């Protein structure tokens, strides 16, 4: 009888939990899954039923160029964000508590500024009459302004700036979970500082590198504002190309196909990430 009462109470608690979650689940279905299903349906029904829109991934030079540009920019952004982010996260880990707070504040500060504002700021800094070109010419390093904006170079610089905090925070969270005694033990056994870093600390941060790289790469695939402003219409990524097809040419089938392809790529990356690393270890637990 007691066992039956316990099981009945557990079922009642489960029902209460599900009743609490029901409004959130309904909102998720209505606001997310229904529009998502509509996008997928449109991609295979407009202008006619079939997979003709997805066939453009293999036959359209414009679509292929856009996809290649998007993947290339996202990959380069990820590489630079990891390189710079690792150095900053390592410095934060080695700093004192007071300096860690100051550095963390500096890392979080860009989140308080709109991406749109930051993009226009970089457009001003990198422009022909901007302070960077003025400094380069003032130092005699160049005779004329460098083309740093309205091209892929400007897009990469601005995107690395936007993505850098994500890489730093992910790597820093992972590094905080690493036992500092491991490196000390390696040094006591005769390893140099570089050997201890390369053979002990760096392998321990591999989950953080994979996690930060995946996060930055996924977010970079869907960039819209920064490439639109810094690219000056010369750098076309998937998000811009999708908006162009829907808003200008009214090719809803092609636009939704690109959106669905981007979503599938993101989900595939997340699935691959979950197969490679332990998420708990990623966040230093």
């Amino acid at each position: 009888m007691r066992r039956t009462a316990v099981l009945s109470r557990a079922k009642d608690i489960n029902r209460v939990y599900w009743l609490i979650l029901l409004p959130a689940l309904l909102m998720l279905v209505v606001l997310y899954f229904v529009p998502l299903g509509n996008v997928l349906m449109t991609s295979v029904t407009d202008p006619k039923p079939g997979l003709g829109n997805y066939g453009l991934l293999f036959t359209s030079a414009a679509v292929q160029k856009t996809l290649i540009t998007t993947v290339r920019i996202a990959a380069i952004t990820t590489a630079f964000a990891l390189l710079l982010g690792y150095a900053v996260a390592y410095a934060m880990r080695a700093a004192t508590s007071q300096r860690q707070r100051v550095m963390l504040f500096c890392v979080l500060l860009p989140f308080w500024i709109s991406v749109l504002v930051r993009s226009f700021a970089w457009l001003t800094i990198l422009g022909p009459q901007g302070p960077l070109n003025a400094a380069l010419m003032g130092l005699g390093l160049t005779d004329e302004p460098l083309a740093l904006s309205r091209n892929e170079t400007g897009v990469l610089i601005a995107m690395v700036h936007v993505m850098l905090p994500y890489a730093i925070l992910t790597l820093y969270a992972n590094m905080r979970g690493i036992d500092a005694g491991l490196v000390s033990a390696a040094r006591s056994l005769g390893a140099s500082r570089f050997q201890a870093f390369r053979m002990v600390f760096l392998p321990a941060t591999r989950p953080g590198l994979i996690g930060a790289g995946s996060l930055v790469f996924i977010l970079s695939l869907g960039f819209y504002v920064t490439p639109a402003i810094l690219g000056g219409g010369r750098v076309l990524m998937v998000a811009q190309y999708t908006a162009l097809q829907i808003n200008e040419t009214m090719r809803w089938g092609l636009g939704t196909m690109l959106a669905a392809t981007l979503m599938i790529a993101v989900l595939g990356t997340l699935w691959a990430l979950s197969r490679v690393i332990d998420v708990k270890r990623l966040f230093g637990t």
Side-chain angles (χ1 to χ4, degrees), residues 17-100:
Y17 287 157
W18 279 109
L19 288 174
I20 294 174
L21 290 175
L22 186 60
L25 291 175
L26 291 175
M27 184 178 297
L28 181 65
V29 170
V30 173
L31 298 181
Y32 183 75
F33 288 107
V34 171
L36 183 59
N38 187 40
V39 168
L40 294 174
M41 184 64 66
T42 304
S43 69
V44 295
T45 58
D46 186 282
K48 60 181 180 180
L51 298 177
N53 290 319
Y54 290 90
L56 295 175
L57 293 173
F58 308 97
T59 59
S60 174
V63 172
Q64 292 176 353
K65 181 180 178 181
T66 302
L67 292 175
I68 292 173
T69 300
T70 301
V71 173
R72 182 180 67 251
I73 291 177
I76 297 175
T77 299
T78 301
F80 277 100
L82 287 180
L83 182 63
L84 298 174
Y86 197 97
V88 175
Y90 187 81
M92 289 176 63
R93 181 183 180 276
T96 62
S97 298
Q98 183 177 1
R99 290 184 178 180
Q100 282 182 1

Side-chain angles (χ1 to χ4, degrees), residues 13-231:
I13 293 175
N14 287 334
R15 292 194 189 98
V16 173
Y17 287 157
W18 279 109
L19 288 174
I20 294 174
L21 290 175
L22 186 60
L25 291 175
L26 291 175
M27 184 178 297
L28 181 65
V29 170
V30 173
L31 298 181
Y32 183 75
F33 288 107
V34 171
L36 183 59
N38 187 40
V39 168
L40 294 174
M41 184 64 66
T42 304
S43 69
V44 295
T45 58
D46 186 282
K48 60 181 180 180
L51 298 177
N53 290 319
Y54 290 90
L56 295 175
L57 293 173
F58 308 97
T59 59
S60 174
V63 172
Q64 292 176 353
K65 181 180 178 181
T66 302
L67 292 175
I68 292 173
T69 300
T70 301
V71 173
R72 182 180 67 251
I73 291 177
I76 297 175
T77 299
T78 301
F80 277 100
L82 287 180
L83 182 63
L84 298 174
Y86 197 97
V88 175
Y90 187 81
M92 289 176 63
R93 181 183 180 276
T96 62
S97 298
Q98 183 177 1
R99 290 184 178 180
Q100 282 182 1
R101 289 192 292 269
V102 174
M103 296 175 72
L104 187 60
F105 172 79
C106 294
V107 172
L108 294 174
L109 185 61
F111 286 119
W112 304 345
I113 305 174
S114 168
V115 175
L116 181 64
V117 174
R118 282 184 276 173
S119 298
F120 277 113
W122 275 114
L123 185 63
T124 303
I125 294 172
L126 301 175
Q129 308 301 324
L132 182 57
N133 270 311
L136 292 175
M137 290 188 293
L139 294 172
L141 299 177
T142 60
D143 296 328
E144 58 183 17
L146 299 178
L148 300 176
S149 62
R150 303 191 184 280
N151 52 30
E152 192 168 311
T153 301
V155 173
L156 286 170
I157 293 174
M159 285 183 60
V160 169
H161 174 250
V162 174
M163 290 290 99
L164 191 56
Y166 295 97
I168 293 173
L169 293 175
T170 306
L171 289 167
Y172 177 62
N174 174 250
M175 289 180 183
R176 288 191 62 183
I178 299 174
D179 186 3
L182 296 175
V183 177
S184 299
R187 293 295 306 278
S188 66
L189 293 174
S192 65
R193 186 182 298 272
F194 177 74
Q195 288 176 328
F197 171 81
R198 180 176 62 86
M199 301 178 67
V200 178
F201 189 81
L202 183 60
T205 59
R206 187 177 295 114
L209 285 168
I210 296 175
S214 300
L215 177 63
V216 172
F217 184 76
I218 288 172
L219 293 176
S220 298
L221 288 175
F223 254 66
Y224 177 81
V225 174
T226 302
I229 296 175
L230 272 299

Side-chain angles (χ1 to χ4, degrees), residues 36 39-41 43 54 242 254-267:
L36 183 59
V39 168
L40 294 174
M41 184 64 66
S43 69
Y54 290 90
T242 301
L254 177 56
T256 54
M257 180 275 292
L258 291 171
T261 301
L262 183 61
M263 179 192 66
I264 293 171
V266 169
L267 293 178

